[in-house]
Amino acid sequence: MKFQTIIEPFRIKTVEPIRQTTEAERRAAIEAAHNNVFLLKARDVLIDLLTDSGTGAMSVFQWSGMMKGDESYAGARSFDVFEKSVRDITGFTHVIPTHQGRAAEHILFHTMVRPGDIVPNNTHFDTTRANVEDAGGIALDLPIAEGSQAVSNHPFKGNMDTAALEDTLERYGDRVPLVMITVTNNSEGGQPVSLINVREVSALCRRFGVPLFIDACRFAENAWLIKTREASMCARTPRSIAQEMFSLADGCTMSAKKDGMSNIGGFLAMNNGSLAVKCRTRLVLTEGFPTYGGLAGYDLEAIAVGLNEALDEDYLRYRIRSIEYLGEKLLLAGVPIVTPTGGHALYLDARRMLPHIPQSEYPAWALSLVLYIEGGIRAAEIGSVMFGRRPDGSEHPSELELVRLAFPRRVYTQSHVDYVAEVVQHVNGMASRIRGVRIVEAPPVLRHFTAHLAPAHGRLVT
Ligand code: F0G
C-alpha cells in the first residue's frame, strides 16, 4: 500500500454522546456500585471496554436489511436470507437460529452429552463450560502450554494440544460425544488457533469417529490472524480461510453478538440431519419455531449482512490493528500486557503491574477499579474474583490476574484508543500506590457479576 495510516474504514452517520464525569463523580459512582464495575450505570462510563459482545455498531446495510425483516411466524423470507448467508460461509447443511451463543450451546450439549461424558476444547468459555456441566458432562480444557503464559511470541497461543487430545480420545473415546475448538480462544486472551491446528484436530476427530464442532464467535478475527500470521496463508482471503476452517468440522455454535456484527443473536449449524432434527425439537421448547428460533425477522437480516461484513479485509485490518496499536504503545511505555495481542481485546497483566498485591487481595480487580476512577474506562477482571472459587466453595488463586480491555466493533476511533493508552500509562505510573481489595459479599457461582467488594486496607490508592 502507498500510505501507511490504517484508517477506520467507515464514516460516522449517527452518533451516541458519551459523558465526561469528574473524578469525584466516578468515586461516588463506584462506591454506589459496591466497587464492582458490572454494577455501574453505563451512563457513568466514558469508554466501555467491558465486552465486545453485542456492543458493536451496525452498518447502513444492516439497518436497511432490518427494515425488510419478515416477521412471519413460519417460513419467513428473512430466514432464507439468514440461512443462505450462514451456509455460504460455513458450508453446513442445517442452520438453526438461536437468541445468542449460549442458547446454541445449551441445545447442542443437552442433545449430545450424557452424564459422565467428556467434552474436550482448547479452552471452554464460561457459558460453554457451564452448559457442558449442566448436561452432566466434564468440560476438559486442552490448551497448549504457551496459552497460559502471559509473555510469549507464539503466534497461535489459542491452539489445542493435539497430543493431549489424542491421548484423551485413545483413553476415553467412547465417552467423548464431540470435540470443540474455540476460535479465537477467548479464555486464553483472544488468541488465535492456526489452520494447521484445526486440520490436525479435525484429522484426529475423524480417525476416532468423533464429531468436531467449532465455537465460531470470532471466526472472522481468527481467519484474519491466520492470514497475517500463518506462513503460506497471506494470499488467501479471510472468507476462504474461514470456509476451509468450517469444512474441517461437522458443525458450529455461534454468538452473532461478536463476528455476526449484531446486537443479539446466534446459531447452531451442522451437517448431521438426525442430530439437527433432535436439536430443532429442543429449539421449539426453549427458543421458538425453527425459522426464527428466538429472534425477530429483522435480527436475522442484520446477522445475514453482518457475517459478511465481518470478513471484509479493510474492516479486519482496522479491527486487529487497533488492538495491536494499543499494545505497541503500552509496551513502549513499559506497561505489562499479555503478548502477542490477540483479536478482540488487550489484556493487562496485573500480577506484573502490581507485584506488591497478593492474589488473595485481587490485584486485577483493584486495577479495574483504578482504571475507572482515573479515566472513566470500564474493563473486566479476568482473575481470582472470576475464577478463584472451586465448586466446593474453597478459594484457589487463578493462574493469571488480567484485566481485559475488550473493544466493541466499529465503535471507537483512534483518538479513543490514544486516550485509553494515556490512562493506562498514568495508572501504571501510580502502580506502587494501589492497594488490594476484599470481597464483602458474593453469590456462590459467577460471583464477579454481582459481588460487593471494598478496599482491603481502608483506601484503594494511598
Ligand atoms: N463462546 C465464546 C468464546 C464467547 O466469548 C461467548 C461470549 C460465548 C460463547 C457465549 O455467547 O454471550 O452470545 O451467549 N462471550 C462474551 C464475552 C459474553 O464478553 O466474552 P453469548
Side-chain angles (χ1 to χ4, degrees):
M1 267 189 296
K2 192 167 169 189
F3 300 108
Q4 295 303 308
T5 310
I6 295 170
I7 61 165
E8 288 85 10
F10 48 80
R11 52 186 179 179
I12 296 164
K13 181 168 276 186
T14 305
V15 296
E16 182 181 11
I18 48 178
R19 200 170 66 96
Q20 293 280 359
T21 47
T22 63
E23 193 178 318
E25 284 170 329
R26 293 192 293 273
R27 280 186 193 285
I30 199 70
E31 204 178 309
H34 303 283
N35 292 299
N36 183 341
V37 295
F38 280 98
L39 302 180
L40 285 169
K41 301 275 182 218
R43 70 183 296 275
D44 294 329
V45 175
L46 184 64
I47 307 277
D48 204 344
L49 307 180
L50 195 62
T51 177
D52 65 320
S53 181
T55 50
M58 291 207 296
S59 70
V60 289
F61 303 107
Q62 287 179 289
W63 283 111
S64 59
M66 288 182 81
M67 294 304 293
K68 293 184 283 186
D70 176 352
E71 305 303 340
S72 304
Y73 190 91
R77 189 197 52 83
S78 297
F79 176 73
D80 298 337
V81 174
F82 171 80
E83 183 184 51
K84 180 174 183 320
S85 177
V86 175
R87 275 194 187 148
D88 284 350
I89 295 167
T90 67
F92 297 129
T93 323
H94 301 281
V95 179
I96 300 172
T98 59
H99 82 273
Q100 61 185 82
R102 67 198 69 185
E105 294 163 2
H106 184 84
I107 291 169
L108 181 70
F109 297 134
H110 282 80
T111 306
M112 293 189 79
V113 175
R114 285 165 313 172
D117 280 354
I118 299 169
V119 180
N121 198 322
N122 43 348
T123 315
H124 288 82
F125 180 68
D126 329 8
T127 59
T128 325
R129 167 175 292 279
N131 273 303
V132 169
E133 290 173 354
D134 189 55
I138 298 162
L140 179 67
D141 289 340
L142 301 175
I144 58 166
E146 286 84 351
S148 53
Q149 290 164 7
V151 182
S152 163
N153 50 18
H154 193 297
F156 293 102
K157 280 165 75 178
N159 281 355
M160 184 181 268
D161 181 337
T162 47
L165 176 65
E166 185 170 14
D167 186 54
T168 305
L169 291 172
E170 249 157 27
R171 284 203 217 182
Y172 309 108
D174 54 337
R175 283 172 59 198
V176 178
L178 77 160
V179 171
M180 275 205 115
I181 189 152
T182 306
V183 300
T184 56
N185 188 338
N186 186 13
S187 308
E188 299 279 0
Q191 298 289 331
V193 175
S194 71
L195 195 55
I196 291 175
N197 190 246
V198 183
R199 284 182 189 146
E200 287 171 357
V201 168
S202 170
L204 278 172
C205 289
R206 289 195 175 154
R207 169 144 76 89
F208 286 89
V210 175
L212 173 64
F213 275 70
I214 295 180
D215 179 339
C217 298
R218 300 179 180 85
F219 74 97
E221 290 169 5
N222 200 89
W224 180 260
L225 290 164
I226 287 175
K227 179 179 167 67
T228 52
R229 290 186 189 175
E230 195 161 338
S232 83
M233 292 291 162
C234 61
R236 292 180 61 178
T237 62
R239 174 180 292 269
S240 106
I241 294 170
Q243 283 167 334
E244 180 178 342
M245 197 167 67
F246 286 116
S247 76
L248 295 163
D250 302 285
C252 73
T253 56
M254 174 73 188
S255 168
K257 300 172 76 172
K258 284 87 172 175
D259 280 350
M261 310 290 267
S262 297
N263 301 122
I264 194 72
F267 58 84
L268 174 61
M270 64 198 69
N271 287 329
N272 181 329
S274 57
L275 177 64
V277 169
K278 289 187 201 147
C279 289
R280 285 201 190 96
T281 306
R282 200 171 277 273
L283 182 87
V284 175
L285 295 182
T286 58
E287 293 283 291
F289 191 76
T291 59
Y292 73 85
L295 292 171
Y298 54 66
D299 295 322
L300 297 170
E301 298 272 353
I303 297 165
V305 177
L307 290 169
N308 288 298
E309 291 182 349
L311 287 167
D312 178 82
E313 295 204 18
D314 289 338
Y315 158 72
L316 282 169
R317 185 177 295 110
Y318 138 79
R319 167 85 178 148
I320 302 299
R321 177 61 196 152
S322 52
I323 312 274
E324 192 183 50
Y325 169 80
L326 177 59
E328 283 168 8
K329 281 199 149 199
L330 295 181
L331 282 174
L332 208 63
V335 178
I337 65 167
V338 173
T339 56
T341 48
H344 64 294
L346 182 133
Y347 294 72
L348 302 175
D349 186 349
R351 280 184 84 174
R352 280 188 292 142
M353 193 191 287
L354 305 169
H356 54 285
I357 303 183
Q359 282 188 279
S360 56
E361 292 180 8
Y362 310 113
W365 194 278
L367 178 56
S368 76
L369 299 180
V370 179
L371 282 172
Y372 174 69
I373 293 168
E374 293 297 317
I377 296 170
R378 173 154 74 167
E381 184 241 30
I382 314 270
S384 290
V385 177
M386 187 181 268
F387 297 124
R389 182 183 252 176
R390 292 200 180 89
D392 66 6
S394 63
E395 289 274 326
H396 72 114
S398 109
E399 204 156 348
L400 298 172
E401 298 288 348
L402 306 177
V403 173
R404 181 181 82 165
L405 310 177
F407 281 78
R409 291 168 181 76
R410 302 189 292 210
V411 168
Y412 294 119
T413 64
Q414 187 171 344
S415 71
H416 293 114
V417 175
D418 286 334
Y419 173 81
V420 171
E422 196 181 338
V423 172
V424 174
Q425 282 174 53
H426 165 77
V427 169
N428 189 50
M430 57 192 275
S432 62
R433 295 193 288 121
I434 300 174
R435 294 289 169 265
V437 291
R438 64 186 170 85
I439 293 177
V440 177
E441 58 174 78
V445 285
L446 294 175
R447 62 181 178 177
H448 54 288
F449 290 131
T450 54
H452 294 183
L453 288 97
H457 304 282
R459 298 183 62 164
L460 185 62
V461 179
T462 56

